Amino acid sequence: MQAPVEAHALISALGQSLGEASLQLDGEGLAFLPLSNEFFLHLQADVKRQCFIGFAVVGTLPVQPPVSLLKQLLQANRFWRETGGATLSLDDKQPPRLVLADRYDWPDLPQEDFIEKINQFIDVLHETRSWLDEPVAVTDSGWSAAALGHSLA
């Protein structure tokens, strides 16, 4: 199924804003954007759901990742507080790769908003990559179910 004109227009506007005028969806509905030597942003059109799934490989986890890194990644994912709404996950490769993904519904999405969301995703991608290079010490933020007014019982 072919992506609608509005999806193509969003990808074209994104390409123009990032200096990649040739950016377009291919026959499979995929746009591939090199961000640097390290990062590649993939935008897959899902025509049935009328959205793009944006994803990028952040990097490969160490064979024995430090607990502090794993804790940091999980805390960043909690309520999407440090991922700008995107989700961190691991693929099934060995060693696993850290993947950042987000969804962008295109009906009535202004081009400026789409471009802003993608730029935010790119910023989060770079920040998350730095965590793999030097895991930050994680502190207990005091979060608990009780603090949110929930009971675990």
Side-chain angles (χ1 to χ4, degrees), residues 2 19-20 24 42-44 69 75 77 91 102 104 110 115 127 132 135:
Q2 186 70 277
E20 294 286 337
Q24 61 184 345
H42 307 265
L43 289 161
Q44 178 68 57
L69 173 60
Q75 286 178 338
N77 235 13
D91 68 10
D102 206 349
Y104 308 98
I115 293 166
E127 177 67 22
L132 293 180

Side-chain angles (χ1 to χ4, degrees), residues 84-103:
T87 300
L88 291 167
S89 63
L90 298 176
D91 68 10
D92 57 358
K93 306 283 185 199
Q94 289 304 318
R97 296 180 305 174
L98 184 63
V99 177
L100 185 67
D102 206 349
R103 175 182 170 142

Side-chain angles (χ1 to χ4, degrees), residues 71-78 80-83 88 131:
K71 189 173 180 181
Q72 181 178 14
L73 294 173
L74 286 171
Q75 286 178 338
N77 235 13
R78 185 182 70 228
W80 309 275
R81 69 183 182 102
E82 291 185 41
T83 61
L88 291 167
W131 300 342

